[in-house]
Each structure stands twice: as structure tokens, then as C-alpha cells.
Amino acid sequence: MRAAALASGIRCARLLTVLFFTVTAAALADDWPQWMGPRRDGIWREPGILERFPTNGPPVLWRVPIFPSYCGPAVVGDRLFVMDREAGKAGERKRGDRSLPQIPGNERLLCIDTRTGRTLWEQVYDCPYRIAYPSGPRATPVVENGRVYTLGAMGGLRCHAAATGSNLWSRQFLKDFDLAEPPVWGWSAHPLLDGDRLICTVGGSNCAIVAFDKQTGREMWRALTTPEIGYAPPAIHTIHGRRQLIFWHPDGVAALSPDTGKVLWTQAYPVGGKPQRPEVTIAMPRVDGDRLFITSFYQGSMLLQIPREGAEPVVLWNRRSSSKSTFNDGLHTTMATPVIRDGHIYGICGAGELRCLDLRTGDRE
């Protein structure tokens, strides 16, 4: 298992394909401006969605070749935004050098006309990689009010004008936060827009997670220290009447105030154990009422009772297999975000199974 091949979307995509579903769905199509959709919850709320594909499959409207990428597309109006990367030849390691070789290449942001597949503009910038699985960017663009925000695999955070692609501002995590190395599998957690803030996992001392001014790129707040930031994207939920920014990293899961970065509560992860390095905290935590569910390949699954103000979280259950070779208990997710519905948890286990857990007990159904 190479967990963080990981991150986000189209696995080494070389051909971007758009399919025609129904006239009604196409005419009334909702925007999909970020990872997991308008509300960042993975729910498709459009009317007129097909329940069954035609016998020969839905007709293809157009196909566009792109370079390798793990990035998912974002769609707003008649424009589709996606990132990819054209790589050069990898450098060679020197004797005794255990670091990853630097691979020259360019990251690229494409803007494509959703009606025709025509490329409207592209922005290309030099971006050598020194990460594992160097096929391309991981994080899906975020689009809002005529701006496109992107995060490259080497920590290049950029803001572009959606109409022209011109770069409005940029930050470089390695340089700006004095980081020695990127995460093993690159920056992968999809940026999160909240009001005037663009929230990203960064890394380093007291800056594991940082909020930037979406207009200028200026830092607004920073919080938490952890040796590794992991790959799970942050998300905001209203719990007990309070908006909470949920951030899961290899040492624990925490809730912060989205406005200030103040830590509201934390829970160590794994429970009663030592984190594995590198750890594969990838799938986004899911919230159901005041319960929070997380799942990872090595540590299995855990359900927390989210506390009211001033209290500590409670571990309702923690299912971990006794044998690393079987992973026969709980849900050992590698990358795919699970679904909670009607008292059940549905997810794809790293052992190669679609599994269902009882939300109340964690038992496999």
C-alpha cells in the first residue's frame, strides 16, 4: 500500500472526460467550486440526475488530454479548473543521500470551457518536486467571486483571476514558514474558504494550520505544532451551536475557532498508542450531530463524542485490528472519505472491501 498516492482525485489523470447525462441536469447543473462540492459534504443536490446509465453509457461531449495529476476539477458556470504537471527527468541521489531526488518540472493550472473542452487559458510555473509519488498536484482548486485558489504539491499557494489566469498573490510554505522539507507525499489537504479566510494546513512550529486573507494572502492567524500535518483536509461544522474547525493530524484531532484559531478541544491520536511515521491521516473526518468519526489504514476507526464548551471529548469506541495482516475489525480507510447515513458508516477499507459499521458500536454489519 503506498498510502498517499492518496490525496485527492483523479489518479495520474491523462485524459479529462466530460459525459452528457441529461438535458435537464446539464441545464440546471450546480457549480462544483471546490473539493466535495458547494457545501464540502460530497452531496449532489441537482434535480434530474440519472438513476441508470444508458445501455452504451452516457454520450461523451469532449475529451481533453492533460498531464499527470491527482487533482480533482472545480467547475463554476461554464468554466472548469484543474491542475496538472509536466515533469522533467529526475535527478540522481548522491552516495549516502537518503533524501528524495529533486525532479524538475512545471505545475499548471488550466481553465477549460465546459461546453466545448477548449482551453481558455493556462498558467504554468516552475515547480521542482522532492516528494514521493511525484505525478502531480493533489489539492482541488477553490473558486469564489472571480478568483481561483490553488495549492501545489510543494506548498505553493496561489490566487488567480478566474477570467484571465493572472496571478494575484502567492505564498510558498517552505520559504515563508522556514520548513526544511515538504510532507513525504506533498501538500494534499484541500484549502478551505471561510468568509475572508483561506485556511490551509502548513506545518512547522505553531503553524500546523494557518488562515490567510483571501484577498491579499496575508497571514491572519496560525495554530498548533505537530511533527507532521498529515493529508486530511480541514472542515467546519456547527456543533452545540458553535462553529468548529476540525483538523485531524497524525498526533490528534482538534477543533479550533475559525475566526481566531483558538484551540477549543483536542483528542490524542491514536488512542493510547504511538503515532506511526509517516502516518496516513487522509480521509476527512465526518461529523454526525455531536459525534466525530475518523478512520485510517494503520489505526482503524474511532468515534468521538464532541464536547460542549469547557469539557473534554469522549472516545465512544476505537476499533483497531489485533493483526496488521488482516485488518479484520473496524474500517481501515486509506484515502476515500466515508459516508454516515441512518446510523451506519459506509467506507472503502484499505483491505479492498466496501464495509458498513454500526455507528453506535463500531461493529461490522
Side-chain angles (χ1 to χ4, degrees):
M1 183 214 76
R2 285 290 186 259
L6 104 184
S8 342
I10 304 173
R11 181 179 294 270
C12 292
R14 295 178 184 273
L15 198 66
L16 188 64
T17 303
V18 170
L19 304 175
F20 180 78
F21 289 90
T22 66
V23 174
T24 303
L28 301 177
D30 290 340
D31 289 338
W32 199 262
Q34 62 175 332
W35 180 76
M36 290 190 74
R39 304 184 194 179
R40 208 175 175 90
D41 59 6
I43 297 176
W44 198 356
R45 295 178 172 86
E46 297 178 20
I49 299 173
L50 286 181
E51 294 185 5
R52 296 181 180 178
F53 280 163
T55 302
N56 296 322
V60 175
L61 291 181
W62 49 260
R63 286 190 173 97
V64 175
I66 64 173
F67 295 120
S69 174
Y70 298 108
C71 172
V75 180
V76 173
D78 59 1
R79 298 193 171 203
L80 180 151
F81 304 90
V82 69
M83 295 182 71
D84 63 3
R85 183 175 189 270
E86 183 178 19
K89 293 183 178 180
E92 295 183 359
R93 298 184 187 183
K94 298 178 181 179
R95 184 180 298 273
D97 179 12
R98 295 185 179 181
S99 63
L100 291 167
Q102 180 163 288
I103 303 174
N106 298 320
E107 285 189 335
R108 180 175 66 158
L109 172 62
L110 282 167
C111 176
I112 296 172
D113 188 318
T114 60
R115 299 162 299 183
T116 65
R118 181 172 65 91
T119 298
L120 301 175
W121 54 258
E122 63 178 45
Q123 277 290 334
V124 181
Y125 54 93
D126 181 49
C127 188
Y129 276 12
R130 57 177 195 271
I131 56 176
Y133 291 90
S135 292
R138 281 86 159 118
T140 298
V142 183
V143 187
E144 183 197 54
N145 293 335
R147 293 188 171 207
V148 185
Y149 303 90
T150 62
L151 177 60
M154 287 295 293
L157 180 66
R158 302 167 66 90
C159 174
H160 297 267
T164 63
S166 60
N167 184 229
L168 303 178
W169 58 259
S170 63
R171 300 294 301 263
Q172 177 49 251
F173 292 169
L174 284 168
K175 176 182 177 182
D176 295 350
F177 294 90
D178 195 27
L179 305 177
E181 293 292 336
V184 174
W185 294 293
W187 273 274
S188 307
H190 315 273
L192 170 64
L193 269 177
D194 179 54
D196 293 331
R197 295 170 293 275
L198 181 67
I199 301 171
C200 299
T201 61
V202 174
S205 179
N206 195 37
C207 50
I209 187 164
V210 179
F212 301 92
D213 186 307
K214 70 179 182 181
Q215 300 295 336
T216 65
R218 175 182 60 87
E219 182 183 318
M220 300 180 74
W221 57 253
R222 60 169 68 185
L224 297 177
T225 297
T226 177
E228 292 186 25
I229 56 171
Y231 308 92
I236 294 174
H237 300 273
T238 299
I239 308 164
H240 298 306
R242 179 172 55 171
R243 298 177 74 246
Q244 302 187 31
L245 171 64
I246 305 297
F247 172 41
W248 180 35
H249 55 83
D251 291 323
V253 58
L256 300 87
S257 165
D259 299 334
T260 65
K262 177 185 175 182
V263 177
L264 304 177
W265 56 262
T266 62
Q267 168 63 50
Y269 172 86
V271 178
K274 183 179 180 181
Q276 175 177 339
R277 301 299 187 195
E279 183 52 276
V280 286
T281 53
I282 301 171
M284 188 180 76
R286 303 313 306 264
V287 171
D288 181 72
D290 64 350
R291 294 171 295 185
L292 182 144
F293 176 75
I294 60 176
T295 170
S296 75
F297 185 76
Y298 294 111
Q299 304 299 338
S301 46
M302 178 175 73
L303 187 70
L304 290 181
Q305 187 93 41
I306 301 172
R308 293 187 179 274
E309 190 169 357
E312 296 297 321
V314 175
V315 178
L316 297 177
W317 50 259
N318 183 206
R319 306 302 293 261
R320 300 172 64 189
S321 292
S322 57
S323 170
K324 292 296 184 185
S325 63
T326 60
F327 297 99
N328 56 5
D329 194 16
L331 178 63
H332 296 260
T333 295
T334 306
M335 289 174 275
T337 296
V339 173
I340 299 177
R341 186 176 178 88
D342 298 332
H344 294 84
I345 302 165
Y346 302 91
I348 299 173
C349 187
E353 296 178 334
L354 176 62
R355 290 185 178 178
C356 174
L357 307 184
D358 184 313
L359 178 62
R360 185 178 57 86
T361 65
D363 293 338
R364 288 181 61 182
E365 294 286 294

